[in-house]
Amino acid sequence: MVNRIVSASGNEGGLVHLDKVKQAYTRWIAMHTELRKTTSERRRRLEERDDHGEQLFAIHIWWPVLGSFDYLHPEYEINDYRDGSRFLDFAYVRPPYRISIEIDGYGPHHKQASRRKFSDDRFRQNQLVLDNWIVVRFSYDDIGERPRQCQQFLQQLLGKLYGLESSEKLALPLPASYRELLRWGQQRERESTFTPKEVQHLLGVSHCTARKYLQHLLQQGLLEQASGHKRIRTYRISSKVAQLII
């Protein structure tokens, strides 16, 4: 896996250039780091974590199955049963289900875990089950040595829960930049708004180009005007887009 990754099917159509996926991963982490509702502790964890195992999962397991990071959240913060906060490696939050995904067995913080911490982690998992989370765990060794097995499990799980094929896409003839913008909008809360300047930064385009993209999606009914009169200041995704896989 030097410069490509392979889907669970092993078909040539499943080959994806690794650099492209790494770039998407970097943008995805940066987006979550900059979200307005990101707490200082979550931001610190996103900025400072040694995420080799998590990155390996996201790039070589998750992406080949879904082709995007939609609905997936890194370092997802939840309320702890002791009235504090805990962080999940990943959370797939897509109604009506919430899936906690943990990556086990890599790094000194795992190898040196105390008995108390080991027990505490297991109790936390039990608490998640009580709160109606689906809990999934992958070992670092399985991700590195048996990636297709992990991909196939993920396909089966999401197919069972959502009745969807991983190849499902938005049936609209949209360029990649437009789809990326809509996926980014989906990961925000339904009523969350964004500005042309944020889109400009997200896509790495000029202000004029960002405005052109937004205007096109507005005309297609995929975005809505959130504020502004003669000149729109903020946008949000439309209900038409909110539940689609793009």
Side-chain angles (χ1 to χ4, degrees), residues 13 37 50 99 166-167 203 209 213:
K37 291 188 177 181
D50 176 13
I99 306 173
S166 62
S167 60
L203 300 178
T209 300
Y213 288 172

Side-chain angles (χ1 to χ4, degrees), residues 12 30 63 74 78 178 200:
E12 285 294 318
W63 185 276
I78 59 172
Y178 289 83
Q200 178 183 346

Side-chain angles (χ1 to χ4, degrees), residues 49-57 89 102-113 117 137-145:
R49 71 176 183 167
D50 176 13
D51 70 343
H52 182 77
E54 288 86 351
Q55 185 182 79
L56 201 65
F57 170 81
D89 288 342
E102 294 291 311
I103 312 303
D104 296 327
Y106 178 77
H109 61 293
H110 290 291
K111 295 176 182 177
Q112 299 171 8
K117 184 179 185 304
R137 308 189 81 99
F138 292 92
S139 74
Y140 176 80
D141 288 343
D142 278 344
I143 292 170
E145 298 171 12

Side-chain angles (χ1 to χ4, degrees), residues 67-79:
S68 77
F69 297 122
D70 298 347
Y71 303 103
L72 189 67
H73 304 264
E75 294 293 340
Y76 190 81
E77 187 172 6
I78 59 172
N79 293 327

Side-chain angles (χ1 to χ4, degrees), residues 22-52:
K22 283 185 174 179
Q23 291 168 8
Y25 176 83
T26 299
R27 290 195 299 269
W28 175 65
I29 291 293
M31 182 195 74
H32 280 277
T33 303
E34 296 302 322
L35 284 175
R36 292 190 183 102
K37 291 188 177 181
T38 297
T39 64
S40 58
E41 175 59 16
R42 185 182 181 218
R43 179 186 293 271
R44 184 191 68 77
R45 294 174 72 95
L46 286 167
E47 291 175 340
E48 299 179 4
R49 71 176 183 167
D50 176 13
D51 70 343
H52 182 77

